[in-house]
Amino acid sequence: MSSFIKGTSIYAIGNIFVQLINFILIPIYINNLNIDDFGLISTLEVVFFISNIFFTMSLERSAQRFYFEKDEKYGEKVFSIVFYLLVLFGIIILSISYLLQFFNVIDKYINIEVFSKNIFFILIGSFFYGFSTLSLIKLQVKEKIPLYAVFQFLKGILLIISTYYFIVYSQEGIVGYVYSLILTYGFLFFISILIIKPRMKFFIIPIGHFKELLSFSIPYIPTLLSVWIFTMAGRLILGKYTTLEDVALYSMAFKISMASILITSSIIAYVTPKVYSSLSSSSNYSFVEKLAEVSYYIFAFMFLGIFSFLEDVYIYVLTPEYLDSLVYVIPLLVLNYISSCLGVSTNLYFSFYKYNKQLMYIYVITSVVYIVLSIVLIKYFVIWSVVISAVVSTLLMLVLQYLFLRNKNKINIDISKVLKNSLILFILGYFIVKINSYLLINFGLFFSGIKILIALVLIKYLFKYIKSNNL
């Protein structure tokens, strides 16, 4: 088995396990929390993840990039410095938030008592979570892929045990949810110390490194916020201007399309250190370009496979009222294909050449275009307005990244190949779904079984293609 297949498979297993645990937790929440507390979890999750961006100041991105700046010794030094910076920022933010809560400042602006009383504890969990992210980055750049998966498995197991104890056994309610996060990521904090191995001599952080790392990481804060806005804005806009049914249909289409990220993100995780290492050591453009090209075709094959089983998911898993959302899944999946291609190419090239400020501008611009266009089109196209806006903004992002790198004469994405593959996927997607609909109605599970057998044969040929490219 090639290292590419083995590596991406292990990454995928670890990531899928964590998502599976999150899925298993849903019925635990539903059966043990009242509807108000269950609804509050979504709000607390937003606070958890957004606050984490400010706790880390996106310094894990700096650690990932500067690890390849010089030799391995320098890379270890960078991770030690980032570790202590996260501790420093955490102490500052937690101290401020504690004082705000102590003097009841938060209560004046937030009327939900349970929410305001738990913000400080959510921030503690978010603080610890940053070290888990840094640990996974460390394992990724050192290409310790099995340990990456073990860490993910440990995270999932801790989440399920702590959630069961605090919510089911102790009946702590929404407070139990908060405690489960603190226990899980607090325990992983000590595991992170073993992985990162911060050296005490870097406890006094050199000013030069402090400025260098922060100047690289800070532009990622608006970039990450733009990504979050991009994923949330469509549902928020539909919620304001249309019906709850439209929101539900789009949300279902969006969630199904995002399932593909579990696999594509695993490929990106495997490719990232290879790209950085190749460009750092010898500017081996041919290997990097081949890695990206093979990834384009793997993504295309994967998305065709998803198209082939979309109808099965809607018929055998979902309820009939969601069937109308199927038409929106296909363009959203094609957009994920484009985003995945950017993930193994231009996003990494921008980071390697330290064009992260320019990347920030591109993400902010495309997010603004997405929001404005959605609001303008909503009265004419309803759900299609956010889909069309997503298509326009994603294509704009692709073109802007391509043009910038071309202007700098840097290694670039094969834009014609990505656009051609996207168009083919879009056309084949609707064709496959249409054919599937007819055959499933007439042959049912027998046809689904035939598709699985065909898929296994095609995967075998895909593996041969990967091996033929020496990956």
Side-chain angles (χ1 to χ4, degrees):
M1 183 181 291
S2 74
S3 59
F4 186 100
I5 297 169
K6 183 179 179 181
T8 54
S9 298
I10 295 173
Y11 275 126
I13 290 169
N15 293 335
I16 290 171
F17 180 77
V18 172
Q19 292 302 317
L20 180 63
I21 292 298
N22 289 330
F23 181 76
I24 292 172
L25 290 176
I26 293 174
I28 295 178
Y29 295 146
I30 291 173
N31 293 321
N32 294 276
L33 299 175
N34 61 51
I35 193 167
D36 291 336
D37 284 349
F38 182 68
L40 196 56
I41 284 179
S42 298
T43 307
L44 290 174
E45 283 178 343
V46 171
V47 174
F48 182 88
F49 287 109
I50 290 183
S51 63
N52 179 252
I53 295 174
F54 295 98
F55 270 119
T56 64
M57 299 295 284
S58 296
L59 281 164
E60 74 279 3
R61 305 273 177 158
S62 294
Q64 184 184 50
R65 170 61 187 88
F66 284 92
Y67 182 85
F68 297 96
E69 186 75 358
K70 297 177 183 177
D71 54 17
E72 186 176 352
K73 186 177 179 181
Y74 180 81
E76 295 291 339
K77 176 182 176 181
V78 167
F79 270 93
S80 291
I81 293 172
V82 169
F83 178 90
Y84 289 121
L85 282 173
L86 296 193
V87 172
L88 174 64
F89 293 145
I91 291 172
I92 293 171
I93 296 173
L94 288 175
S95 298
I96 294 171
S97 63
Y98 178 79
L99 290 173
L100 291 175
Q101 186 156 325
F102 182 80
F103 290 106
N104 297 319
V105 175
I106 296 176
D107 293 341
K108 293 178 182 178
Y109 297 97
I110 300 177
N111 295 321
I112 305 173
E113 183 179 357
V114 177
F115 183 75
S116 61
K117 296 298 182 186
N118 285 286
I119 281 185
F120 179 70
F121 295 106
I122 274 289
L123 292 179
I124 292 175
S126 182
F127 165 69
F128 285 135
Y129 178 77
F131 295 94
S132 294
T133 304
L134 187 63
S135 296
L136 290 172
I137 293 290
K138 177 75 177 290
L139 295 173
Q140 181 190 359
V141 297
K142 291 185 73 68
E143 300 188 67
K144 294 185 176 180
I145 305 175
L147 286 179
Y148 179 102
V150 169
F151 192 92
Q152 292 286 65
F153 270 82
L154 181 59
K155 182 199 299 185
I157 291 168
L158 286 170
L159 273 173
I160 198 80
I161 292 173
S162 59
T163 300
Y164 181 85
Y165 177 79
F166 287 114
I167 293 183
V168 179
Y169 180 76
S170 299
Q171 291 290 304
E172 296 282 355
I174 193 68
V175 178
Y177 166 76
V178 177
Y179 287 166
S180 69
L181 294 178
I182 294 176
L183 180 65
T184 297
Y185 294 111
F187 182 86
L188 290 175
F189 169 75
F190 294 101
I191 303 296
S192 298
I193 293 175
L194 299 176
I195 294 171
I196 299 167
K197 299 175 182 176
R199 289 178 283 178
M200 284 303 298
K201 67 179 181 179
F202 298 119
F203 183 75
I204 306 299
I205 301 164
I207 296 298
H209 289 297
F210 178 81
K211 291 181 178 178
E212 185 178 32
L213 293 172
L214 273 181
S215 64
F216 182 87
S217 68
I218 285 177
Y220 278 107
I221 295 176
T223 301
L224 293 172
L225 290 173
S226 297
V227 172
W228 181 81
I229 289 170
F230 196 88
T231 58
M232 293 296 295
R235 282 168 282 184
L236 294 175
I237 292 169
L238 286 172
K240 182 174 177 60
Y241 294 100
T242 64
T243 65
L244 287 176
E245 182 182 353
D246 289 333
V247 176
L249 289 175
Y250 176 77
S251 296
M252 181 58 68
F254 185 82
K255 287 179 180 178
I256 291 174
S257 68
M258 290 302 289
S260 61
I261 299 299
L262 286 172
I263 306 299
T264 59
S265 62
S266 301
I267 295 174
I268 294 169
Y270 176 82
V271 165
T272 298
K274 303 286 185 186
V275 171
Y276 284 157
S277 180
S278 296
L279 294 179
S280 297
S281 59
S282 60
S283 295
N284 189 358
Y285 284 11
S286 60
F287 173 77
V288 173
E289 287 173 338
K290 182 170 73 171
L291 200 60
E293 182 180 1
V294 171
S295 298
Y296 301 158
Y297 286 118
I298 293 172
F299 291 148
F301 176 87
M302 186 191 75
F303 281 99
L304 281 175
I306 294 173
F307 290 146
S308 300
F309 289 93
L310 269 180
E311 194 79 16
D312 303 69
V313 171
Y314 273 87
I315 291 176
Y316 301 125
V317 179
L318 302 179
T319 50
E321 61 262 29
Y322 286 106
L323 190 59
D324 289 340
S325 69
L326 177 58
V327 70
Y328 310 114
V329 177
I330 296 168
L332 291 175
L333 280 170
V334 174
L335 295 184
N336 283 347
Y337 169 77
I338 296 174
S339 298
S340 300
C341 292
L342 291 173
V344 296
S345 55
T346 54
N347 285 347
L348 296 180
Y349 308 153
F350 269 82
S351 178
F352 177 79
Y353 293 115
K354 301 176 184 176
Y355 294 139
N356 40 326
K357 287 183 182 178
Q358 290 80 2
L359 187 64
M360 173 192 72
Y361 297 142
I362 291 172
Y363 270 88
V364 171
I365 290 169
T366 52
S367 294
V368 171
V369 168
Y370 173 65
I371 293 170
V372 172
L373 196 58
S374 295
I375 294 172
V376 170
L377 297 178
I378 193 76
K379 65 173 83 170
Y380 304 106
F381 301 106
V382 196
I383 299 178
W384 275 109
S385 64
V386 293
V387 176
I388 293 169
S389 301
V391 170
V392 172
S393 54
T394 302
L395 291 175
L396 178 62
M397 182 181 295
L398 171 65
V399 171
L400 289 176
Q401 289 191 20
Y402 169 77
L403 291 176
F404 179 84
L405 289 175
R406 190 182 70 171
N407 185 55
K408 295 290 184 179
N409 292 316
K410 301 296 184 181
I411 185 171
N412 211 337
I413 191 171
D414 189 338
I415 191 169
S416 60
K417 188 167 293 181
V418 171
L419 288 174
K420 182 180 72 174
N421 289 350
S422 300
L423 181 60
I424 292 171
L425 282 173
F426 183 76
I427 295 170
L428 284 179
Y430 279 105
F431 176 76
I432 290 171
V433 168
K434 200 73 175 176
I435 294 295
N436 264 339
S437 180
Y438 172 78
L439 293 174
L440 280 172
I441 290 171
N442 288 278
F443 300 100
L445 288 172
F446 174 76
F447 179 61
S448 297
I450 294 295
K451 286 193 294 184
I452 292 172
L453 292 175
I454 294 172
L456 292 174
V457 172
L458 292 176
I459 288 171
K460 182 179 179 180
Y461 283 103
L462 177 66
F463 286 178
K464 286 183 178 180
Y465 167 73
I466 294 170
K467 288 180 181 179
S468 68
N469 282 277
N470 300 315
L471 296 177

